[in-house]
Amino acid sequence: MGTAPGCDDTCSPPHLWGSQWRHVCDQREDGALPDPGDPQLPGPCQQDCSVGDPGHPQDLPELQCGQGRAAAAEGHHRPRPYLGSGVDRTAIVDVLTNRSREQRQLIAQAFRERTQQDLLKSLQAALSGHLEGIVVALLQPAARLDARELRTALKDSGAAEDVGVEILATRTPPQLQECLAAYKHDFQVEAEEDIKSETSGTLQDLLLALAKGGRESYSEIIDYNLAEQDVQALKQAEGPSTEGIWVLILTQRNPEHLVRVFDQYQRRTGHELEHTVRNRFHGDAQRALLSLASVIRNTALYFAHKLHQALQETEPNYQALMRILISRSETDLLSIRAEFRRKFGKSLYSSLQDAVKGDCRLALLALCRAEDL
């Protein structure tokens, strides 16, 4: 078998999915060394991204920001893919889970330039099952992944109040706008139109309000009068046709304000706001409002509960595990892991080890990254 283009005689045979997935050749296809000053390649991360560093501004425990140049160079230096029997799943998982989403996009771009082939399609041809799904999600832009998950949830009866609230209520305003733009681009319809056609009643009103992204931004000024007004409004909103008050307050006020409202509500009534939600609402509206209240109180604990629930099913909910671990891996997964262990007395990593089977086990453990002792 001949050597890979752009490699010298010391290079191994061109099995992308074998040991060559890790291998970086010394030269480009044209024989020139990569230019370290190439403006298209980002410089090294200036943050100390060591695992478990609580001082990192984005709470990034898993992915080593490392060298953006090296990430792109990996794509340029990979030999032409050979989709034979030598699929090295461990190597594929190791590379993709140890790069940020931006770096994975650089690798995919460089791979196309180097091989004239699409990395995502090549990996899809080489893999199957849950592992294929994880790899596809890792290589997709975050907005497209969110759009796809939201579309699936809206079209799947019983999922809109779960996944819909998760995506629309936990993404930042810029992330939400990118998700909605990707939704329109990929499915040729506005997400709001699908919400209107696939849901109804209070759930529809709630999801539409969240999709508008009209939540007030955080203010250092504490408005005690507004908090008291909101408490009184919620106390009085127990009759028919008052659901809109709940939707308005829970989707428009900033989370810090709402936590104060929740505390004052409990002092005034003697029970938590969630108790009233369970008595006042039913079905999908109740589940959606309870999820939203959980997000507002403690987003990390909300995701810890979702991960625990996904692991407690007879067959683990691989889609939920994948979506949460990937979407939170560059934001607050350290906090989620800490809340998981505090709440359930067992680490997320150990729980994944015990519950998950098959090829995707390695990928999910790699995304979780480490045991919490």
Side-chain angles (χ1 to χ4, degrees):
M1 186 176 294
T3 59
C7 299
D8 59 25
D9 292 336
T10 63
C11 289
S12 302
H15 287 243
L16 171 66
W17 313 134
S19 62
Q20 286 299 300
W21 177 257
R22 301 179 192 272
H23 181 68
V24 177
C25 298
D26 292 331
Q27 292 184 313
R28 292 181 183 268
E29 196 167 25
D30 58 6
L33 291 172
D35 177 10
D38 186 349
Q40 299 300 317
L41 301 182
C45 177
Q46 300 303 313
Q47 299 290 341
D48 176 8
C49 299
S50 57
V51 173
D53 175 17
H56 192 284
Q58 289 189 316
D59 193 14
L60 177 60
E62 305 74 16
L63 303 175
Q64 300 178 22
C65 290
Q67 303 285 339
R69 303 172 198 270
E74 283 180 283
H76 270 295
H77 297 153
R78 298 202 193 291
R80 191 175 302 280
Y82 176 82
L83 301 182
S85 60
V87 178
D88 189 341
R89 292 170 174 81
T90 301
I92 293 171
V93 167
D94 181 57
V95 169
L96 294 181
T97 59
N98 281 285
R99 301 296 181 273
S100 69
R101 189 175 294 277
E102 180 181 1
Q103 290 172 328
R104 291 193 292 269
Q105 294 299 308
L106 285 172
I107 290 172
Q109 178 183 346
F111 182 90
R112 179 183 290 277
E113 295 172 0
R114 170 69 173 79
T115 67
Q116 289 76 53
Q117 296 186 38
D118 185 276
L119 178 59
L120 177 57
K121 292 180 180 178
S122 297
L123 287 170
Q124 285 180 296
L127 303 171
S128 62
H130 296 304
L131 180 58
E132 178 190 351
I134 292 172
V135 167
V136 169
L138 284 167
L139 284 170
Q140 280 189 322
R144 295 194 70 180
L145 175 60
D146 280 345
R148 187 189 74 188
E149 291 290 298
L150 180 59
R151 170 81 168 189
T152 300
L154 290 174
K155 296 297 181 180
D156 179 14
S157 177
E161 70 271 22
D162 177 23
V163 181
V165 170
E166 175 191 323
I167 292 175
L168 297 176
T170 67
R171 303 310 190 246
T172 65
Q175 288 172 338
L176 179 58
Q177 292 306 308
E178 290 175 5
C179 167
L180 297 177
Y183 195 104
K184 182 178 181 180
H185 177 272
D186 289 353
F187 306 114
Q188 300 301 303
V189 63
E190 299 280 0
E192 289 88 344
E193 293 304 314
D194 274 348
I195 291 173
K196 291 176 183 178
S197 65
E198 302 294 336
T199 63
S200 60
T202 302
L203 175 61
Q204 181 185 105
D205 294 340
L206 184 69
L207 294 179
L208 287 173
L210 290 172
K212 284 184 172 61
R215 191 179 293 283
E216 299 164 355
S217 58
Y218 171 73
S219 172
E220 294 182 0
I221 300 175
I222 300 176
D223 192 334
Y224 292 102
N225 289 331
L226 181 60
E228 182 60 31
Q229 290 173 20
D230 286 344
V231 169
Q232 293 302 321
L234 291 171
K235 285 177 60 180
Q236 296 169 11
E238 297 183 358
S241 303
T242 57
E243 297 87 353
I245 295 175
W246 288 82
V247 171
L248 174 66
I249 292 175
L250 294 182
T251 62
Q252 301 303 304
R253 306 289 190 254
N254 72 68
E256 292 79 7
H257 172 86
L258 286 172
V259 168
R260 288 191 291 273
V261 170
F262 290 0
D263 290 343
Q264 289 182 224
Y265 185 94
Q266 184 170 357
R267 287 196 295 269
R268 297 284 191 278
T269 64
H271 55 77
E272 292 186 339
L273 179 134
E274 287 87 343
H275 174 80
T276 302
V277 171
R278 292 186 180 93
N279 291 332
R280 172 72 177 77
F281 298 91
H282 305 282
D284 54 17
Q286 180 193 94
R287 292 189 292 272
L289 285 166
L290 289 174
S291 292
L292 183 55
S294 179
V295 170
I296 292 166
R297 284 189 183 275
N298 185 334
T299 302
L301 181 58
Y302 161 79
F303 279 114
H305 272 290
K306 293 203 69 174
L307 288 167
H308 185 260
Q309 182 181 7
L311 290 166
Q312 295 306 301
E313 299 180 16
T314 304
E315 172 80 3
N317 187 334
Y318 289 101
Q319 195 68 20
L321 295 172
M322 172 209 73
R323 183 181 63 251
I324 295 171
L325 289 174
I326 292 176
S327 68
R328 311 312 292 185
S329 63
E330 297 182 50
T331 53
D332 57 355
L333 189 52
L334 264 182
S335 298
I336 294 170
R337 281 166 37 188
E339 291 289 358
F340 190 101
R341 184 169 184 82
R342 181 185 65 81
K343 180 67 177 179
F344 304 110
K346 184 178 181 180
S347 73
L348 175 58
Y349 193 90
S350 293
S351 299
L352 288 166
Q353 280 184 315
D354 292 343
V356 176
K357 310 298 180 185
D359 287 343
C360 70
R361 183 172 186 262
L362 179 64
L364 293 175
L365 289 173
L367 287 167
C368 181
R369 181 56 61 191
E371 179 67 274
D372 297 301
L373 302 177

